[in-house]
Amino acid sequence: MTNKYINYIIACETNRLKAQNDPFIKHGYMGMCLFLFEMYEITLSESYYKSAQNFLQLSCASIKRGSKVNVFDGLSGIGLAVVYLHKKKYITGNIYQILKNIDNEIYRNVINEIDYKQDFSTHGHEEALIDVALYMIERLKVCSLPQIEEEIIKLFVNKIINLLYQCHDYAFYLEPIPYTSNYKLARFIFLLGKAYSIDMCTDRVLHIWEEARSTVLAQLPYLDCNKVLLLFALTDLQKKIPGDKKLCDIIATLKSCISIKQIVYNEISADAMSMQSGLPVILDVILRMNLPLTQTDIVLLENKVKNSSYYNMEYDRIIENKFVGLNGILCYILSHLKINRFYG
């Protein structure tokens, strides 16, 4: 994949975004911002850095009241992106004020949902609440907060965790088939691991895990993609709650039975390269966990990416197939570059 092609895609995507005015990660300004900062880290090209800063400003300036609160296409995603970029020292302005505006809008929207919507699983609110709680936990780690605001966020996270657990049913434990990164059980376990460090949540996390662990550990997921996501969540939880032998045993079993060949050949289609339900999210988790891969595994992953129809696809076909934004062509480009960077 040439620099000429990458810059051609960036120019086309920039033109699309001018017409869309979408602030979010999935197809909007913040997705382009994150992509360009990644490109800057790979190439050290100042042009990518300057463009990324521009899209960051556009994203924050385009937030509208009443926006969704999800990660990919909502406010939690913008909040998490801002936190991430602040940690990387790409944002040096008034981070408290930027995040406060996002916090207030999320809080207003979620409290309204909690008060007036009771059937959370039917309306897809479980996924949104997990997104919000994960953002709020990261929010607590960035810049000092007035004590009252810190207490409100902690109580808010605790309230969400309790609501998710109280309202869940058997479907909460079911793995998604076909594969999707919104595997509720895996994401809820990941949330428990993150929430454990919050003083107001620690005891509740331990109580929930004690009640849920037998069901969670009763059987392995069928799809290897879902095994990867569950392994990631359980590994993070195990670091916070050591000494659980059954948890250690299931982690070891998951590590030993995940097959990259199965994922590549049977579970992810050639064009499943999005950040929600494609190879990039599995690849990202594998890299973050530093899972040992054989040379055969690496070749399989490389070929899966290179043989995708995304490879050097003309932009009119990208638009036609809706492979746009960070949930499409941009995520694919990053996956291609990451494989070359880590395994090339």
Side-chain angles (χ1 to χ4, degrees), residues 1-12 309-315 318 329 332-333:
M1 183 175 292
T2 65
N3 289 335
K4 182 179 178 181
Y5 177 75
I6 294 172
N7 290 331
Y8 152 73
I9 292 298
I10 291 172
C12 293
S309 63
Y310 278 69
Y311 194 74
N312 287 344
M313 184 186 288
E314 289 297 318
Y315 196 72
I318 291 171
I329 186 63
Y332 170 71
I333 290 171

Side-chain angles (χ1 to χ4, degrees), residues 5 25 51 55 61-62 67 99 154 168-169 172 177 188 196 224 235 252 291 293 321 338:
Y5 177 75
I25 288 178
S51 295
F55 280 111
S62 302
S67 296
L99 292 175
K154 290 179 178 179
H168 85 286
D169 56 21
F172 200 80
I177 299 176
F188 184 65
Y196 181 81
D224 283 41
T235 301
L291 283 181
L293 298 179
N321 289 285
K338 282 180 181 178

